[in-house]
């Protein structure tokens, strides 16, 4: 081989080496960009999942508190009913005539009916408010998400 051929071959090899290094660097840059974008995307998804989890825990806590308060109201209703029943029985046993006993019974049932209606309305309003308090944050979050998506 001649010196000219060797020099040309060395030039080609040198150029190929530089091109390979440049291509390798370019591939490495693209890979790093891809990894960075994937990491950023994962962090955003992770933050969104954490926020959603915290909101769900808060809503479950509100729902649990509402159910506890509703249960306490129901126990209060049962206590009032038992107290009224015992008072009516006491009055019934103290009645001196069948007419007086009938009046005690009628008064008891009329009072219980009025009380039950008021209690049902009160409990219904409480349950509606509790449900609204639990559902409202979910609705707001959905509305916010749909606005962002649109």
């Amino acid at each position: 081989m001649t010196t000219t051929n060797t020099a040309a071959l060395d030039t080609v090899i040198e150029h190929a080496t530089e091109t390979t290094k440049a291509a390798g660097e370019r591939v490495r840059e693209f890979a790093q960009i891809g990894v960075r974008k994937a990491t950023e995307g994962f962090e955003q998804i992770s933050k969104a999942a954490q926020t959603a989890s915290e909101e769900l825990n808060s809503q479950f806590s509100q729902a649990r508190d509402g159910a506890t308060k509703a249960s306490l109201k129901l126990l209060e209703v049962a206590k009032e009913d038992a107290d009224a029943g015992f008072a009516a029985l006491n009055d019934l046993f103290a009645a001196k005539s069948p007419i007086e006993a009938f009046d005690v019974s009628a008064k008891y049932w009329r009072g219980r009916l009025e009380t039950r209606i008021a209690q049902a309305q009160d409990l219904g309003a409480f349950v509606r408010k509790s449900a609204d308090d639990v559902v409202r944050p979910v609705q707001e979050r959905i509305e916010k998400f749909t606005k962002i998506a649109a």
Side-chain angles (χ1 to χ4, degrees):
M1 273 188 148
T2 64
T3 316
T4 313
N5 287 341
T6 307
L9 186 59
D10 286 343
T11 304
V12 169
I13 291 172
E14 185 179 316
H15 182 66
T17 304
E18 289 175 7
T19 305
T20 304
K21 284 182 183 178
E25 289 175 10
R26 194 60 113 154
V27 168
R28 188 177 307 114
E29 287 174 13
F30 282 130
Q32 289 173 345
I33 290 170
V35 167
R36 188 177 66 240
K37 292 221 181 250
T39 303
E40 290 170 359
F42 176 77
E43 288 173 357
Q44 288 175 347
I45 290 171
S46 179
K47 286 178 185 177
Q50 180 67 26
T51 301
S53 176
E54 290 170 359
E55 288 180 9
L56 281 175
N57 284 337
S58 172
Q59 290 164 354
F60 284 137
S61 178
Q62 285 178 340
R64 184 185 62 237
D65 291 345
T68 300
K69 289 177 183 176
S71 295
L72 290 173
K73 283 187 174 284
L74 287 172
L75 286 173
E76 185 180 309
V77 166
K79 182 186 177 307
E80 287 177 19
D81 193 37
D83 290 346
F86 285 127
L89 275 175
N90 194 20
D91 291 345
L92 191 62
F93 289 138
K96 297 190 180 5
S97 69
I99 293 175
E100 189 178 343
F102 180 77
D103 286 343
V104 167
S105 177
K107 179 181 173 186
Y108 168 76
W109 288 111
R110 190 177 323 110
R112 292 309 325 145
L113 180 62
E114 291 170 359
T115 302
R116 294 258 186 218
I117 291 170
Q119 289 169 338
Q121 290 172 342
D122 182 44
L123 188 60
F126 177 78
V127 169
R128 275 190 300 278
K129 183 187 178 307
S130 295
D132 287 345
D133 290 346
V134 171
V135 171
R136 187 177 308 111
V138 174
Q139 288 175 332
E140 290 172 354
R141 188 78 172 153
I142 289 171
E143 289 172 3
K144 180 179 176 184
F145 177 73
T146 54
K147 287 179 183 176
I148 291 172

